[in-house]
Amino acid sequence: MSAGSDGGTWPVFGSLRGYRKAWFRPDVVAGLTVWAVLVPEALAYATIAGVPPVVGLYAAVPALVLYAAVGSSRHLVVGPMSATAALSAAIVAPLAAGDPARLVALTAALGLVVGVLGVLAGLIRLGFIASLISEPVLKGFIVGLALTIVIGQVPTLLGVPKTGGDFFEQLWDTISHLGDVDGLTVLVGGASLAAVLVLRRWLPVVPGSLVVVVLAIAVTAAFHLDTRGVDIVGPIEPGLPTVGLPTGIGPDGYLGLVGPAVGVLLVGFAEGLGAAKTYAVKAGYEVSANHELAGLGAANLGAGLCSGMVVNGSLSKTAVNGAAGARTQVSGLVVAVLTVLTLLLLTGLFERLPEATLSAVVIAAVVELVDVASLRRLYRVWTVRLGSIYGLAARADFAAAIATLLGVLVFDTLPGLFIGIAASMTLLLYRVSRPHVARLAKLGDVWLDVDRQDGHHPDPRNVVVRVEAGLFFANSDHVRARIERLCEPETRVVVLDAETSPFIDITAAQMLAQLAGSLRRNGIDLRIARDIGQVRDVMRTAVPEAFRHGVFHTVDDAVGADGAPGEQAAPP
């Protein structure tokens, strides 16, 4: 079975089928490059989740291996990420009640629950759930999440106490403690942040995060910064993680995580699938949404069983992987092997890593996600015409993005996501309930919207309209009212050009039948032209008598039938 198929047998390590010897070197080079980025970022994202930094490495190893075995992308890199790490912290922290050991156990348990849900959802073909999150909602969510992560890392960067609360509470608390900043910590954090950003901008091929982390460790050791008030990561237990279910979590604990885990799965799946599709298109192959869902589930199962945290596909690390020449998931397996070596041999090195540097790595990683330019583009999707049709809902995508962003900033991550989804659905329903009903006039051989044709005046005897949407219960009253308003005392024929209405339900069909009767009492004949398959089928079965002789192949036939006056073109 191909990697893009959703039927038949389920492939294991499907991206490695037909592997060629010539691919091994670029895959190894790509793996080395990704490892240099993944290690410092995994440590940093674990701090976002509120767990010891090494937990990020624990999660990365099984996630990389199991995704390679089950997923369908040849390029996607799976591991700890900022969005799901922040969601994990928001979900788990209140349940842990300040107990660090329980926080770690609940974090792993959340990964397990997300994993089980992902595998089950993939097996029963629920890959379509990614469509529940529109691109504007995801953009607003990511921007809001990035801002929340940044403000959460600023206190560590400045050496001031860190408190909880929403974005604005954390912002105010940070501002109120500006008089307590530690100068040396600010110097270390500021220099680290500047160095990462400069290397990213001017030397993108250099793994800036890893270089800065190594330099910060070296400077800390050389000048004993940890004895001069600079907080460091501290002891990291070397070796591989304990494999098994997290301790102290009973059945009720797992059940209590199911609801929040759905949100985590939805966010992680949407973000990872976007990255997977992007590079599949570039490389000319297909990915399967269901396999990606199961692959994400398997990765989280492995991470949870290895004392890790929730994981998902990373666009940034996938971009590094692709740019480095990766051809298959062998690159991911190389990263996994190198991460195991890091856990066995290099954990002691990271113990003297300044926390301010770790915060700088986090901020540098997520600051580029504050994509104001994309929000501006969403705002600019507006015209006077759209505004006259939909009012404030003309900027529906921008409104959904802003609603999501504010929801995340004010109500936290998961509620913010669902606020965005609800806002997007509400605006969609509003727009489809008020479709544009265009008045048409004939220009040459074509019937066009008169509002878009300067100087063209329709014949008041013939009202030809086009509904630019499907016809159903939510918009039937609006369509009827609009058609009735277009009728004038001289009107004798109303023609509904149904070509732009792909479907109709029984409510709308009955509305048209009732409208035909109402117009007939005023001496006006309602006719339908160019009805397409679904509309024709429903009309013939729902209201068979209403339009027995009032359906025509073309608008011209409908207008000219039975001696009705033809459309008059406006004078030039």
Side-chain angles (χ1 to χ4, degrees):
M1 189 189 78
S2 68
S5 172
D6 282 336
T9 59
W10 203 285
V12 177
F13 290 103
S15 76
L16 306 187
R17 289 190 171 184
Y19 196 83
R20 301 176 187 174
K21 187 184 297 185
W23 294 351
F24 185 71
R25 184 178 181 279
D27 276 342
V28 171
V29 171
L32 285 165
T33 307
V34 173
W35 169 80
V37 176
L38 181 141
V39 169
E41 289 192 354
L43 296 171
Y45 293 147
T47 65
I48 294 176
V51 293
V54 73
V55 171
L57 300 180
Y58 289 165
V61 175
L64 289 163
V65 174
L66 290 174
Y67 175 80
V70 181
S72 61
S73 171
R74 302 174 192 169
H75 295 87
L76 187 69
V77 178
V78 175
M81 283 298 296
S82 57
T84 47
L87 282 171
S88 175
I91 294 165
V92 169
L95 301 175
D99 183 348
R102 184 162 177 79
L103 181 67
V104 172
L106 284 168
T107 298
L110 179 62
L112 281 171
V113 176
V114 171
V116 170
L117 293 176
V119 170
L120 290 177
L123 290 174
I124 60 177
R125 315 298 184 189
L126 294 182
F128 66 88
I129 62 174
S131 61
L132 295 177
I133 305 181
S134 68
E135 185 63 30
V137 167
L138 187 59
K139 179 60 65 177
F141 175 78
I142 294 299
V143 172
L145 195 58
L147 291 172
T148 301
I149 292 170
V150 168
I151 197 60
Q153 296 298 316
V154 168
T156 306
L157 198 71
L158 301 178
V160 299
K162 182 178 179 179
T163 61
D166 62 37
F167 171 85
F168 298 102
E169 290 172 337
Q170 292 185 64
L171 176 61
W172 175 250
D173 191 72
T174 301
I175 292 173
S176 66
H177 283 90
L178 286 179
D180 303 327
V181 299
D182 181 78
L184 190 55
T185 299
V186 172
L187 178 62
V188 172
S192 299
L193 179 59
V196 174
L197 295 176
V198 167
L199 288 172
R200 178 186 298 169
R201 175 67 177 85
W202 299 108
L203 294 170
V205 296
V206 175
S209 297
L210 185 63
V211 169
V212 169
V213 164
V214 172
L215 288 176
I217 292 170
V219 170
T220 300
F223 296 97
H224 305 286
L225 298 183
D226 51 321
T227 65
R228 301 171 64 182
V230 176
D231 292 331
I232 60 174
V233 169
I236 299 176
E237 185 177 351
L240 300 179
T242 301
V243 178
L245 295 175
T247 58
I249 309 297
D252 291 343
Y254 288 106
L255 289 175
L257 292 171
V258 171
V262 172
V264 177
L265 178 64
L266 199 58
V267 172
F269 176 51
E271 188 176 354
L273 183 62
K277 284 185 174 180
T278 298
Y279 282 86
V281 170
K282 289 183 178 181
Y285 65 93
E286 294 182 357
V287 294
S288 160
N290 292 316
H291 288 190
E292 289 304 295
L293 192 53
L296 175 62
N300 275 284
L301 269 177
L305 289 171
C306 292
S307 308
M309 55 185 285
V310 290
V311 296
N312 65 280
S314 166
L315 178 58
S316 60
K317 285 187 277 293
T318 302
V320 171
N321 197 34
R327 304 299 297 271
T328 69
Q329 282 294 330
V330 166
S331 64
L333 298 176
V334 169
V335 178
V337 171
L338 292 172
T339 306
V340 169
L341 294 176
T342 303
L343 285 167
L344 293 174
L345 304 174
L346 301 178
T347 52
L349 174 67
F350 292 101
E351 290 180 355
R352 306 194 75 171
L353 172 64
E355 290 190 354
T357 298
L358 206 52
S359 291
V361 171
V362 173
I363 292 172
V366 302
V367 72
E368 63 184 13
L369 300 177
V370 184
D371 193 353
V372 178
S374 290
L375 296 178
R376 283 201 300 265
R377 283 195 294 272
L378 291 175
Y379 181 81
R380 288 197 296 266
V381 180
W382 184 88
T383 65
V384 174
R385 184 73 176 148
L386 287 173
S388 67
I389 296 171
Y390 298 115
L392 293 176
R395 288 191 172 99
D397 290 333
F398 175 76
I402 295 300
T404 311
L405 191 158
L406 293 177
V408 170
L409 296 183
V410 176
F411 298 105
D412 218 334
T413 47
L414 202 56
L417 174 64
F418 288 116
I419 286 171
I421 294 173
S424 179
M425 294 296 183
T426 300
L427 289 166
L428 173 63
L429 288 174
Y430 177 81
R431 290 185 64 156
V432 299
S433 70
R434 297 176 57 85
H436 179 45
V437 182
R439 175 75 184 274
L440 306 182
K442 193 170 185 179
L443 183 62
D445 295 328
V446 183
W447 292 87
L448 300 172
D449 187 343
V450 296
D451 291 337
R452 296 180 181 272
Q453 308 300 319
D454 294 336
H456 202 72
H457 307 286
D459 183 349
R461 296 172 297 173
N462 302 318
V463 174
V464 181
V465 297
R466 178 180 67 207
V467 181
E468 297 180 352
L471 293 167
F472 65 116
F473 66 92
N475 62 27
S476 60
D477 289 340
H478 172 79
V479 171
R480 176 173 181 166
R482 171 65 175 159
I483 293 175
E484 290 176 337
R485 285 197 301 270
L486 289 173
C487 293
E488 302 178 44
E490 302 92 338
T491 301
R492 292 295 174 264
V493 172
V494 172
V495 177
L496 172 62
D497 181 357
E499 186 180 40
T500 56
S501 297
F503 65 89
I504 189 171
D505 72 356
I506 190 168
T507 302
Q510 291 174 344
M511 176 275 292
L512 290 178
Q514 294 166 2
L515 177 62
S518 174
L519 293 176
R520 192 176 300 113
R521 287 191 290 273
N522 293 319
I524 302 173
D525 190 17
L526 176 62
R527 301 168 182 175
I528 297 177
R530 301 199 294 183
D531 58 327
I532 62 174
Q534 294 183 45
V535 174
R536 185 182 307 117
D537 293 342
V538 174
M539 294 291 289
R540 285 179 178 176
T541 55
V543 286
E545 301 298 328
F547 298 97
R548 184 177 297 276
H549 304 294
V551 179
F552 299 85
H553 290 296
T554 68
V555 174
D556 289 324
D557 290 343
V559 169
D562 300 326
E567 186 69 14
Q568 295 179 349

